Amino acid sequence: MGNREQLPNTSAHAELDAVIVGAGFAGLYMLYRLRNLGFSVRVFEAGSGIGGTWYWNRYPGARCDVESVQYSYQFSEALQQEWEWTERYATQPEILRYANHVADRFDLRKDIQLNTRVSAATFDEARHRWTVVTDDGKQVSAQFCIMATGCLSSTNTPKFAGLDTFRGPVYHTGQWPHEGVDFTGKRVGVIGTGSSAIQSIPLIAEQAQHLFVFQRTPHYTVPARNTPLDEAYKRQVKAEYPTMRSRAKQMFAGIDFHLNDQSAIQASEEERQREYEARWAYGGVSFMGAFNDLLFNEASNATAAAFVRSKIHETVRNPALAEALSPRYVIGCKRLCVDTGYYETFNRSNVTLVDVSKTPIEAIVAEGVQVDGKQYTVDALVLATGFDAMTGALARIDIRGKAGQPLREKWHGGPRTYLGLMTAGFPNLFTITGPGSPSVLTNMLPSIEQHVEWIADCVAYLREREIAQIEPLQQAEDDWVTHVNEVAGTNLRSTCSSWYVGANVPGKPRVFMPYIGGLPAYLEKCKEIVAAGYRGFLLSGAVTSRATALEDSR
Ligand code: N01
C-alpha cells in the first residue's frame, strides 16, 4: 500500500499537473485517466487504504443496493470480463476487494499518498495554479485540483447532550472499526433508521442481547432478494455488458431496469397490485419503476406508498408496531432503502422500537439513552445518523478561489455550480459528482466515470491549446442553478426532509442539491456544452512553461 514515505515526489514545493483529493472510485479512475494523458498527478487520501465509502462503511450488513454487475466500472472491457461478482448485491468487503484489484491491476498505488488529509487549497491567480496543503503541513502546487471527495463521506453526528458521558463505546456506521464489533450479550442502541440502520439492524439484532432502535422517521424499504450469481447469469451479463451499459445511460437513474411506462393512477387497482407484487417479489430499487409517474404525481405515489405499508402490516405481527414503522410521506422522497429481513426483525422479542418523533432524544447519559423521561440502558451505541451530504467533505477543506474567496462563504446559502463540475471564481477546481449533477440520484459508478471522462477531456483540451485556466461564467452558473431548482420543483423528491435538501444537518441551507432532470438529459447537456467549445466557461491565460514555473516557485 502507498503511504507518505513511498511517494517519490513529496518535496514541500512539488509542482504537479494535478492533485486529486480522495482515493475512492472517483479518485482511482481520475488518476488512471490523467496518468494516461501523461500528467503528473498525486492523490491524497485521508484513510489508510483506498476505496472511499467502501473503506469507511464497514458496519454489519453493509452492501450496495445497486446490483453488482451495474455498480462497477465499464471503462475497461478486460476488467469487466475478468472480475467475478459473487452476489446480486455485493457486500462491502467484496466491493473493497474490487477497488483494491483495480488499484493493483492499473498500478495506481504509486501515486496515492494515504493517511493524508487535505486541509486547504488556495488558488494562485498569477500562476493559475492551486496550492494544496495537507495535514502534515506540507504543500504542493498543481494546475488542476480535482475533488473526488465523495457525496456521502463526511459523517453527521448530531449534538446529543451528554454524548461524551456515555460509558460504553459509540460507533458511527460511516466510521466503523476495521476489526469489527462483537455485540454478543450486549444491550445495544441504534439511533437512526435510514439505509445504514436498515442494513445493520437485522444483523445486530441476531447478536445482541437486546436492541433498542430509536426512530425519528420511519423510512420506506423494499426487500433486496439478494442471491448468489450463477455461472450462466454471469456469462450472459459478460456477453451483453455493452448493451446493458448503454441501456442504463438512457434511464433516468442510470440503472438498467424495466420501467413500466404507464401511469399508476391510469392503471386499474388490479393492475397496480399485480405490478407492485411482482416488483416486491423481484426485489430492489426497481420497485420505483412500477409506474412512470410515481415521483411526479402525488396520487400515483400514494398507491405505491400504501402498498408498502400493507406489506409492513403483513410482516410485523404487532399492529401498533407495524403502524409505527409505516411512513406516511411520499415514497422515494427520502432515498428508498433496500433490506434483508428488516421488518421481520421487529417480530423478535429482543428488539424494541423507541419512537422519538414526538419526543426527541433528550440526552445520552452514562448508562444509555433518555427519551421522554425514560432511560433505555445500553452497553453500546450505534449512530446510524448519516452524512453531511454532498457539501460536507468540501466544506471541511479551506478552499479559497480568486481574491481569496472561501468556497464555504460562496456556498453559504447552498452550493452553486455549473453542471456540478465547477464553480465560478474557482478556476481549475473540479468536483466529481458535485452538487448540481445527477450524482446520488443515479448509479454512482457510471456517473463518476462520466465526470472523470469529461474532466480528463477538458484538461487535455486546455493542454493542447496551451490554455492555463478554465472557470464557469457567472451567468452560466446562475442559469444552471435556476434550472436545477426548477426541475427539483417538478419532482416529489424535493417535498420532504431528507439529506438531499440538507435537512438532516441543523443550520444547513435547505436546497435540493443533486440535479434531478434525469441522467439522459444531463449527459446530453454536458456533450452539447463541449461541442460548442465549452459554452458557458471562460478559458483564459497562457501556460507558463514547466521550467519557468519551477523557477518562480523557488
Ligand atoms: O443516513 P440517513 P444513512 N435524532 O441520513 C436519523 C447511502 N447509503 O447512513 O429521517 C434521531 O439516510 C435520521 O432520522 P430522520 C444512501 O444514499 C447507501 O442511513 O432525519 N434520529 C435517519 O433515520 C443513503 O440514503 C447504502 O428523521 C436522527 C438516520 O438518522 C445515504 O447513504 C447503505 C437524528 C440517518 O439516515 C445515507 O444513509 C447505506 C437525531 N438527532 C447508506 N439525526 C447502500 O448502498 C439523524 N437521525 C445500501
Side-chain angles (χ1 to χ4, degrees), residues 322-394:
E323 193 47 34
L325 287 163
S326 296
R328 290 280 158 193
Y329 51 91
V330 161
I331 182 169
C333 188
K334 286 172 181 279
R335 191 169 180 277
L336 184 68
C337 303
V338 177
D339 73 279
T340 300
Y342 179 67
Y343 293 124
E344 290 83 348
T345 299
F346 290 90
N347 289 328
R348 297 176 67 105
S349 58
N350 71 332
V351 176
T352 304
L353 183 75
V354 184
D355 183 350
V356 296
S357 60
K358 291 174 197 76
T359 48
I361 292 171
E362 275 161 25
I364 310 289
V365 292
E367 294 80 21
V369 182
Q370 204 162 297
V371 180
D372 202 15
K374 188 172 169 190
Q375 183 180 299
Y376 297 86
T377 303
V378 294
D379 305 307
L381 260 184
V382 174
L383 303 180
T385 45
F387 301 89
D388 181 355
M390 305 209 72
T391 54
L394 294 168

Side-chain angles (χ1 to χ4, degrees), residues 217-288:
T217 317
H219 287 221
Y220 290 95
T221 174
V222 296
R225 312 279 181 220
N226 185 40
T227 178
L229 295 180
D230 65 39
E231 292 306 316
Y233 176 77
K234 286 194 274 188
R235 264 199 310 279
Q236 185 197 337
V237 168
K238 286 187 179 183
E240 292 173 3
Y241 256 132
T243 36
M244 186 189 87
R245 302 292 198 180
S246 67
R247 276 198 307 268
K249 287 196 177 107
Q250 288 152 35
M251 300 293 289
F252 203 84
I255 305 176
D256 179 33
F257 64 72
H258 173 63
L259 170 70
N260 179 17
D261 202 8
Q262 210 199 145
S263 156
I265 36 167
Q266 277 160 19
S268 67
E269 177 59 26
E270 196 193 337
E271 279 172 312
R272 276 199 297 266
Q273 279 304 112
R274 201 180 326 115
E275 188 68 27
Y276 290 141
E277 285 289 359
R279 303 246 167 191
W280 189 263
Y282 180 72
V285 289
S286 69
F287 183 82
M288 291 306 287

Side-chain angles (χ1 to χ4, degrees), residues 133-154:
V133 181
T134 50
D135 61 356
D136 53 2
K138 290 190 175 152
Q139 64 179 51
V140 294
S141 162
Q143 187 183 0
F144 302 105
C145 181
I146 303 171
M147 296 296 176
T149 40
C151 295
L152 294 157
S153 51
S154 177

